[in-house]
């Protein structure tokens, strides 16, 4: 026997099924799964950009000549380093790709006379406080036995008895 009560239960079941299908489709369309490669693509591009900028500065202009980077670190010319590095990472074409303004801070690591690794602030475009996610790029720079000059005076604890290579470390971030 079919009466009006059975029709009501049928309509209620169809409405519930439609609501469940709509809810499931909304949940599935708003959920996205990121792989580890997807979440760090911009950081990898930023690291590649910093490595490329240092590599260009470390390329000698002529055979047997020192590179611009070697001269800037050995002479402790942080003003010129700031100009060249800032220009390299903040090109107009790079900003059009969505990086925005990029900032950096750089340190030079060296071994002192007693064999202890020391570091000294070299150059920066803005002080890094640790809030934005930064990428680290490094480059070994040959300075010989000549100590870099830091504008105040020579490194007092630089080992001048042998040729030395220092490590230039640059942190790059965007805000």
């Amino acid at each position: 026997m079919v009466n009006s009560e059975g029709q009501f239960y049928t309509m209620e079941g169809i409405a519930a099924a439609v609501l469940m299908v709509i809810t499931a489709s909304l949940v599935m369309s708003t959920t996205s799964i990121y792989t580890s490669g997807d979440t760090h693509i911009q950081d990898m591009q930023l690291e590649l950009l910093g490595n490329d900028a240092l590599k260009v500065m470390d390329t000698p202009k002529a055979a047997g000549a020192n590179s611009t980077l070697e001269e800037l670190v050995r002479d402790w010319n942080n003003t010129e380093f700031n100009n060249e590095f800032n220009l390299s990472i903040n090109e107009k074409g790079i900003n059009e790709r969505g990086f925005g303004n990029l900032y950096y801070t750089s340190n030079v690591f060296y071994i002192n006379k007693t064999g202890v690794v020391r570091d000294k602030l070299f150059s920066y475009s803005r002080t890094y406080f640790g809030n934005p996610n930064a990428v680290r790029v490094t480059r070994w720079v040959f300075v010989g036995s000549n100590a870099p000059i830091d504008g105040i005076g020579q490194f007092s604890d630089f080992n001048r008895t042998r040729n030395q290579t220092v490590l230039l470390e640059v942190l790059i971030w965007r805000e």
Side-chain angles (χ1 to χ4, degrees), residues 47-58 69 84-85 88-89 172:
E47 185 177 357
L48 182 64
L49 174 67
N51 278 325
D52 287 348
L54 287 178
K55 188 180 286 187
V56 166
M57 291 175 69
D58 199 23
L69 188 62
E84 287 197 34
F85 193 75
S88 297
I89 64 172
I172 306 170

Side-chain angles (χ1 to χ4, degrees), residues 36-98:
S36 60
D38 292 340
T39 56
H40 300 292
I41 288 176
Q42 285 189 336
D43 288 343
M44 290 181 346
Q45 289 173 336
L46 193 59
E47 185 177 357
L48 182 64
L49 174 67
N51 278 325
D52 287 348
L54 287 178
K55 188 180 286 187
V56 166
M57 291 175 69
D58 199 23
T59 303
K61 295 181 177 144
N66 290 332
S67 69
T68 304
L69 188 62
E70 287 175 346
E71 291 173 359
L72 294 176
V73 172
R74 187 178 53 240
D75 298 338
W76 206 260
N77 191 347
N78 46 13
T79 305
E80 188 61 32
F81 177 84
N82 186 28
N83 294 339
E84 287 197 34
F85 193 75
N86 240 344
L87 182 65
S88 297
I89 64 172
N90 283 311
E91 289 278 338
K92 183 175 176 165
I94 293 168
N95 284 337
E96 290 171 359
R97 289 186 220 146

Side-chain angles (χ1 to χ4, degrees), residues 50-59 69 73 107 137-142 165-170:
N51 278 325
D52 287 348
L54 287 178
K55 188 180 286 187
V56 166
M57 291 175 69
D58 199 23
T59 303
L69 188 62
V73 172
N107 289 316
V137 293
T138 59
R139 192 82 177 172
W140 289 102
V141 181
F142 180 73
T165 300
V166 297
L167 180 67
L168 176 68
E169 176 188 79
V170 183

